[in-house]
Amino acid sequence: MIGHFLTYHRFIDGLRAVAIVPVILFHISTDLVPGGYLGVDIFFVISGFVITNSLTQQNKFGLIDLLNFWEKRVRRLAPASMLVLTVSFGLALIVLSPHEAVDYGRSQIAAAAFFANFHFGRVLDYFSAPADQHPLLHYWSLAVEEQFYLIWPILLLGVTTIFATQNRRRIAAVAIVLLFSLTSMVYLLTAPTDSSVDAFYHPATRAWELGVGAITALILPREKVEVPFAGVIAIVAGLVLVASLLILSKDYLLPGAWSFPLVISTALLIWLGIQNESIVMRILSSRLLVVVGLISYPLYLWHWPIFSFTRIGLGEEPTIIIWVVLTMATFALSYVTWRFIESPIRGWKGAIDRNSRLRVLGYGAVCLIVTVLLGGSLVVTKGMPWRLSALDREIHRQEVSSSPYRQVCDSWQNANRQNSACDLSGNYNPDQGFHAIVIGSSYADHHIPGLEIWAQEQDISVRQVTNSTCSGVPGIDRPDYHQVRMCRRYHAEIKDQILDNPNLRLVILANHFGFNGSYDELVEAGDRYAVAFLDFARWLAERDINLLVFSPVQSGMNLRSSCIKGAVLQENTLCGKAKSPSLSQTEKFYIAAASSLPNVDVRVVSDHMCTSDFCHLVRDGTLLYRDEGHLNAYGSRWLISKLQMPDIVAGR
């Protein structure tokens, strides 16, 4: 129909190696190749090219060709993918706790059914710490490609049906790809920063990368042509590609304009490589790179579950020796998968008639259903808790407990809604308003179970006005967080809530924000965050409102620690970690602020959770944490019972 040069090109496999190796290194440590995650963008361009070039070989692309294409995709992708999903399911039963297994089950359903990108875009930031705890996270990019494989061939079928001549089909196909690619670029560049997490996974922001690869295939000349200075252009493109991988760290807002040079350079290398021989193409065609490129698909499939399950099982970052062993095992397992599963099934010549091809599609559908059911079994059974001993089940029950108000009351959108539902004492009176409100991030939300008991004992109305990820203090925005706009809206809602409640007497603030410096130094230097805190405290003082600050809890706790069982059984087992200097620094800031501002008070939680600068995971037989830095409901109630909370009833 349109495409040319279907013959095998070694350098494309070499380019796949250039894509997969940085991805693996990035997933070992972001310091190794800061932009290694952009290897996925290279894969998207390659896929767009290879698939389009394959689809456009026939003079006319018909319905039979569409079915043939899908049948080949099933043989190419399904066997290795389903193998990894099945093995990962078994590892999930061994390594994961019940609540982790439920999350895993949902992700396996999404991975098997080609919508992992939408699933993870809804629940997870790719660059956040919890990403390591999702063994199937990498399936998001496979889902994007699978969605491309479903939609793009249907569009080409439409082009073939509507247009009679080859030239018109070529022009129409290019026009369609350009339209979708430009639309994708516009959406990418104009999407609000609030949606940056979703944009990372969304096919609408990735379509242009696949489109660039598709256009590269569609504009190939009918015969090879000599390109002036092709070698120089290829060297420049290669340097841009490598520089992007080494420079564009996770701090850049990507995908975005910063990824354009890498994507264009990848397309240039493909286009030039098919037309001309150069030193860059000889390097990419070297035996080592080609071998790595040939096993790049199983490498991508295996590396992340192996890394993720190891991190989860150890409860900490693996040592260098463990990383070496894991990497060698990943390459060995990937080669075996490629040699004995992927290659034989991919090259199978048995699917030569319609019935055979339909059987292949049927087998693929059965495998999909089986893997979906495996994932669903974990969701339905709530992670199969009977796998655990009685003690482990009790520890798990404490670990997963959290605030029952979180889903309704922890968001800026709900700050002025659901007043009755978010009143911790349950006796909210609209005529009187709230006597106290709780503000801050998820590190304020985790105090709610304990504060609920306090509110009921005081017989006062206490309103939760928290928002995960946001500091709670107007003017203090996380510099490393893309959703600054959301936090500013939340800060405005805090002030509205305060102004709407004339009987308000107390604001309780908790977050994980740290102050790096002494109180006097920061104030004297005019530190923007210290000034924002002081301005907010004074703003409250003008309205005769007190500010009670809970200092942060120690983070980085390891809930995989083998010492937890002994500590819960109160066997004098020391379980936790040393108190961090940064935590002590932040506590000193709040203590100094409380001494200089009459309406500010502070509760130093480490006075109760830590002893001799050692912070405990378990106290009095109670597991305090639900993850590495948040208290569970049991821990919240334990802590608040130890703090000397103010008597608002007597003071109002």
Side-chain angles (χ1 to χ4, degrees):
M1 173 185 165
I2 301 167
H4 306 277
F5 312 126
L6 189 59
T7 56
Y8 171 68
H9 295 277
R10 288 173 58 88
F11 82 91
I12 290 182
D13 273 324
L15 199 55
R16 288 190 175 102
V18 173
I20 187 60
V21 172
V23 170
I24 294 174
L25 293 175
F26 179 82
H27 288 158
I28 293 174
S29 171
T30 57
D31 295 330
L32 293 176
V33 184
Y37 63 98
L38 293 171
V40 172
D41 301 61
I42 299 174
F43 274 124
F44 285 153
V45 179
I46 295 174
S47 293
F49 170 82
V50 171
I51 295 305
T52 302
N53 198 43
S54 172
L55 287 171
T56 55
Q57 292 306 308
Q58 298 85 4
N59 289 328
K60 186 174 182 179
F61 183 73
L63 181 59
I64 298 300
D65 300 305
L66 177 64
L67 294 175
N68 289 345
F69 168 77
W70 282 340
E71 179 267 334
K72 289 178 181 178
R73 286 292 90 193
V74 169
R75 282 193 285 124
R76 168 75 172 91
L77 302 175
S81 177
M82 299 306 169
L83 172 64
V84 171
L85 288 177
T86 303
V87 172
S88 296
F89 174 81
L91 291 174
L93 294 178
I94 298 171
V95 176
L96 301 184
S97 66
H99 76 279
E100 292 170 334
V102 171
D103 290 339
Y104 172 86
R106 293 192 180 102
S107 67
Q108 176 153 320
I109 294 171
F114 316 140
F115 65 90
N117 54 329
F118 293 110
H119 170 73
F120 288 114
R122 181 176 56 85
V123 303
L124 187 66
D125 184 341
Y126 180 83
F127 300 107
S128 64
D132 293 342
Q133 311 300 313
H134 292 265
L136 301 182
L137 173 61
H138 62 316
Y139 270 80
W140 77 266
S141 65
L142 300 178
V144 171
E145 293 199 9
E146 287 156 351
Q147 290 153 16
F148 173 72
Y149 301 152
L150 288 173
I151 296 173
W152 179 223
I154 294 175
L155 292 176
L156 280 180
L157 180 62
V159 168
T160 301
T161 303
I162 295 172
F163 298 96
T165 66
Q166 184 174 342
N167 284 336
R168 289 184 177 180
R169 291 169 187 162
R170 175 195 289 263
I171 295 172
V174 171
I176 289 174
V177 177
L178 277 174
L179 176 63
F180 278 94
S181 297
L182 291 174
T183 302
S184 171
M185 288 182 183
V186 170
Y187 175 75
L188 173 64
L189 297 176
T190 59
T193 55
D194 296 46
S195 62
S196 59
V197 173
D198 182 61
F200 186 89
Y201 300 98
H202 205 286
T205 63
R206 299 292 185 168
W208 70 277
E209 296 175 329
L210 291 154
V212 167
I215 291 173
T216 304
L218 291 170
I219 64 173
L220 281 174
R222 298 176 183 278
E223 305 292 339
K224 286 189 176 183
V225 295
E226 291 296 325
V227 179
F229 307 107
V232 175
I233 297 173
I235 291 173
V236 172
L239 291 175
V240 170
L241 187 150
V242 172
S244 297
L245 294 171
L246 295 177
I247 295 173
L248 297 179
S249 68
K250 63 182 182 178
D251 295 329
Y252 289 81
L253 188 58
L254 295 170
W258 286 104
S259 55
F260 287 6
L262 173 131
V263 170
I264 300 303
S265 295
T266 303
L268 268 176
L269 287 173
I270 294 173
W271 197 86
L272 290 170
I274 289 178
Q275 302 296 328
N276 301 265
E277 182 71 20
S278 70
I279 186 172
V280 174
M281 303 312 152
R282 287 196 292 272
I283 293 173
L284 291 175
S285 300
S286 62
R287 182 175 180 81
L288 178 61
L289 288 181
V290 169
V291 169
V292 174
L294 286 171
I295 65 172
S296 60
Y297 177 56
L299 267 176
Y300 188 77
L301 286 174
W302 281 116
H303 86 280
W304 184 251
I306 291 173
F307 293 177
S308 180
F309 279 118
T310 301
R311 282 185 168 115
I312 295 171
L314 293 176
E316 58 186 10
E317 198 62 17
T319 63
I320 293 177
I321 294 177
I322 293 177
W323 275 126
V324 171
V325 173
L326 290 177
T327 303
M328 293 175 62
T330 299
F331 273 84
L333 188 57
S334 298
Y335 176 79
V336 170
T337 302
W338 172 78
R339 176 69 178 82
F340 297 103
I341 296 177
E342 180 185 339
S343 293
I345 297 178
R346 182 182 180 183
W348 180 53
K349 303 300 182 181
I352 57 176
D353 56 38
R354 184 184 64 179
N355 290 335
S356 297
R357 294 184 179 110
L358 289 176
R359 279 197 298 271
V360 170
L361 292 174
Y363 295 150
V366 170
C367 291
L368 184 152
I369 293 171
V370 169
T371 49
V372 166
L373 290 176
L374 287 175
S377 68
L378 292 175
V379 177
V380 172
T381 62
K382 297 184 179 180
M384 301 182 184
W386 56 81
R387 297 178 287 130
L388 308 179
S389 67
L391 178 58
D392 286 331
R393 287 198 297 272
E394 173 58 26
I395 292 173
H396 174 259
R397 186 172 69 88
Q398 293 184 21
E399 178 186 345
V400 300
S401 62
S402 61
S403 169
Y405 296 85
R406 180 174 176 82
Q407 295 299 320
V408 176
C409 307
D410 184 66
S411 69
W412 72 267
Q413 295 96 330
N414 289 330
N416 280 318
R417 307 173 195 167
Q418 305 289 339
N419 280 335
S420 296
C422 296
D423 174 31
L424 305 188
S425 65
N427 60 1
Y428 169 67
N429 186 332
D431 296 330
Q432 294 183 359
F434 295 103
H435 301 105
I437 64 172
V438 184
I439 63 173
S441 63
S442 58
Y443 293 92
D445 171 78
H446 72 177
H447 288 298
I448 294 300
L451 291 174
E452 180 182 29
I453 295 176
W454 169 73
Q456 292 169 355
E457 291 173 347
Q458 291 283 300
D459 194 26
I460 57 174
S461 55
V462 180
R463 173 66 155 88
Q464 178 178 357
V465 192
T466 62
N467 196 119
S468 293
T469 73
C470 298
S471 71
V473 178
I476 295 184
D477 301 315
R478 278 178 51 180
D480 63 330
Y481 193 65
H482 298 318
Q483 298 191 18
V484 171
R485 185 183 304 177
M486 178 190 71
C487 291
R488 290 176 179 169
R489 290 171 179 166
Y490 166 59
H491 293 157
E493 293 292 345
I494 288 175
K495 287 195 170 184
D496 288 343
Q497 188 70 249
I498 292 171
L499 295 175
D500 289 343
N501 288 278
N503 290 326
L504 193 68
R505 291 292 175 266
L506 180 68
V507 171
I508 300 174
L509 168 68
N511 55 53
H512 203 58
F513 189 87
F515 290 94
N516 298 316
S518 71
Y519 176 82
D520 292 334
E521 290 172 346
L522 294 175
V523 172
E524 184 177 351
D527 178 80
R528 58 172 292 198
Y529 300 120
V531 170
F533 175 80
L534 297 177
D535 286 346
F536 181 58
R538 292 174 182 134
W539 184 82
L540 292 174
E542 293 171 359
R543 289 153 181 81
D544 194 26
I545 300 172
N546 292 323
L547 176 63
L548 177 61
V549 180
F550 289 173
S551 65
V553 301
Q554 176 63 51
S555 62
M557 291 296 190
N558 180 8
L559 268 73
R560 294 281 169 180
S561 298
S562 58
C563 59
I564 291 178
K565 291 183 182 180
V568 169
L569 294 173
Q570 301 190 54
E571 297 175 343
N572 294 321
T573 302
L574 197 63
C575 195
K577 67 176 294 185
K579 183 179 178 181
S580 67
S582 60
L583 177 58
S584 298
Q585 187 68 62
T586 299
E587 291 172 347
K588 291 176 181 177
F589 175 90
Y590 285 130
I591 292 171
S595 65
S596 63
L597 297 170
N599 71 315
V600 176
D601 200 0
V602 62
R603 296 292 183 271
V604 181
V605 302
S606 66
D607 288 346
H608 306 278
M609 300 180 67
C610 311
T611 54
S612 301
D613 289 331
F614 185 88
C615 297
H616 301 271
L617 261 170
V618 179
R619 294 289 275 164
D620 300 332
T622 299
L623 178 65
L624 304 179
Y625 287 79
R626 63 178 169 85
D627 58 27
E628 63 89 25
H630 292 90
L631 301 178
N632 60 42
Y634 288 84
S636 171
R637 297 185 188 108
W638 178 91
L639 176 63
I640 298 301
S641 71
K642 303 296 182 181
L643 300 179
Q644 187 178 353
M645 294 297 291
D647 187 350
I648 295 184
V649 175
R652 67 183 178 185

